[in-house]
Amino acid sequence: MIRRLVSSAACPALVAMLLPLALLSGTGVAQAQADYPNRAITLVVPFPPAGSTDVMGRVLSQSLSKVLGQSVVVENTGGAGGTIGAARVSRASADGYTLLFNNMAQASAPYFYPRLSYDPVSDFEPVGRVADVPMILVARKDLPVDNLQALLAQARANPGKLNFANAGTGATSQLCEALLASATGAKWTSVPYKGTGPALSDLLGGQVDLICDQPASTLGHLKAGSLKPIAVATRSRLRILPEVPTFQESGLASFELAVWHGLWAPKGTPRPVVERLAEALRQALRDPALVQKYQEMSAMIVAPDQMSPEALRGFLRSDVARWKATLKAAGVAAE
């Protein structure tokens, strides 16, 4: 608008009035970016409280708060496999004060929810990848099986009789369940919940038989003996659960699944703000308190070269393509 007015000789007085205002506005934006952050930041976790991603997000928020000098407040916006919370962030002001902490559901969501109101790649500014967490298959404590082969034998002998809980369509627990069924040919009844918390509650109560989830949500129950471990989806056994075999050791060669996590800002967030957040993330991931807590839940912090915005952007794009092929082959993607 200013350019058009300047080129016109008809309104010199209007140009003289608007040009300083435009310059002041640009100065204000630059100053706001230079002062970032000067108030609390909202970290949206797109899942209910008490799940693994929520726990990891809260640990990260504490370390980010120390680095940035401002409170980073977690807000849970759960539902629809993380897509409600992600949509909220995609619509938020692009000023760096509303961020998204999500897991690999950011990549798989389009295949469970094909009518998303946002594009998981183009409607966000990546800040950095955070950590990968292995999945673990656990059963109610009184399920009469003690290993994967016995479990699969029971599932094949009684198709649909075992109840397999998950945290909802598109959640990582549902992905693990679907991929496990595809890899083994076992048939069970899928029981979706609105989050990991209620799914675990029913598993502990014996209303369902199984769940495949991250250790952060199940470790305490496994240590207490209130849940039974079956196998971990890693190449080697977990340091925190050395007695639990891998899927490969249990006879399922090539079954591995780790849940990756990342941090995003809304599309259009100024580059200086994204860079400030990316540097803060790198510092937070070196915080000894965070490192210890992540180790306790078997969260593996990514290598430094994977923490950058560019690395997360490329990783997300490739993972979106990977899940398209994987879920189509498994027969669980929505049409």
Side-chain angles (χ1 to χ4, degrees):
M1 179 178 179
I2 295 291
R3 190 177 299 165
R4 290 198 298 269
L5 289 171
V6 170
S7 65
S8 171
C11 305
L14 185 58
V15 172
M17 179 179 69
L18 290 178
L19 189 57
L21 291 175
L23 293 174
L24 284 173
S25 175
T27 301
V29 171
Q31 184 63 39
Q33 294 176 20
D35 291 344
Y36 176 86
N38 55 28
R39 55 186 171 87
I41 295 169
T42 297
L43 182 64
V44 174
V45 174
F47 301 98
S52 298
T53 300
D54 175 60
V55 174
M56 290 183 64
R58 290 179 185 277
V59 172
L60 179 62
S61 72
Q62 294 169 4
S63 294
L64 283 174
S65 296
K66 290 190 287 187
V67 174
L68 292 169
Q70 295 288 342
S71 296
V72 178
V73 182
V74 171
E75 290 189 8
N76 298 91
T77 305
T83 61
I84 295 176
R88 172 189 168 185
V89 176
S90 74
R91 297 190 299 265
S93 298
D95 53 13
Y97 289 97
T98 305
L99 307 176
L100 173 68
F101 181 69
N102 202 358
N103 58 37
M104 67 184 185
Q106 185 80 356
S108 61
Y111 309 115
F112 290 100
Y113 301 92
R115 295 177 180 82
L116 289 178
S117 63
Y118 62 89
D119 185 290
V121 177
S122 63
D123 285 341
F124 299 87
E125 300 292 344
V127 175
R129 194 163 145 219
V130 176
D132 300 339
V133 185
M135 299 295 275
I136 180 170
L137 176 62
V138 302
R140 58 180 170 87
K141 65 179 182 180
D142 55 350
L143 190 69
V145 298
D146 293 312
N147 56 67
L148 181 63
Q149 291 305 316
L151 172 65
L152 295 177
Q154 180 170 330
R156 289 164 180 152
N158 303 279
K161 292 293 182 67
L162 289 173
N163 293 315
F164 209 126
N166 64 66
T169 301
T172 57
S173 52
Q174 197 263 348
L175 291 174
C176 184
E177 173 200 331
L179 295 179
L180 186 58
S182 177
T184 62
K187 297 185 182 300
W188 38 61
T189 298
S190 182
V191 184
Y193 287 83
K194 293 182 178 179
T196 301
L200 280 177
S201 179
D202 273 8
L203 183 63
L204 291 164
Q207 283 79 34
V208 290
D209 302 304
L210 301 159
I211 194 170
C212 188
D213 205 9
Q214 303 169 60
S217 58
T218 57
L219 183 61
H221 303 298
L222 293 170
K223 294 287 190 182
S226 50
L227 291 178
K228 179 188 299 186
I230 301 297
V232 294
T234 50
R235 292 187 181 182
S236 55
R237 296 191 181 197
L238 299 181
R239 181 182 58 83
I240 58 172
L241 293 168
E243 73 283 1
V244 182
T246 66
F247 278 94
Q248 288 91 334
E249 290 176 307
S250 304
L252 195 57
S254 77
F255 190 84
E256 292 181 37
L257 185 61
V259 180
W260 60 268
H261 298 74
L263 186 65
W264 290 266
K267 179 181 179 180
T269 300
R271 186 65 188 179
V273 172
V274 173
E275 291 175 349
R276 175 74 178 102
L277 285 167
E279 176 57 31
L281 177 62
R282 285 189 288 269
Q283 293 183 41
L285 293 177
R286 295 195 298 266
D287 179 4
L290 177 145
V291 171
Q292 179 179 347
K293 289 176 181 176
Y294 273 18
Q295 286 178 343
E296 291 171 354
M297 61 182 81
S298 288
M300 298 166 285
I301 296 171
V302 300
D305 64 344
Q306 294 300 306
M307 296 176 186
S308 70
E310 293 74 21
L312 177 56
R313 188 188 304 278
F315 184 86
L316 176 60
R317 282 177 174 155
S318 65
D319 211 49
V320 168
R322 179 175 75 94
W323 280 113
K324 180 178 182 179
T326 301
L327 295 175
K328 183 178 181 180
V332 295
E335 296 297 331

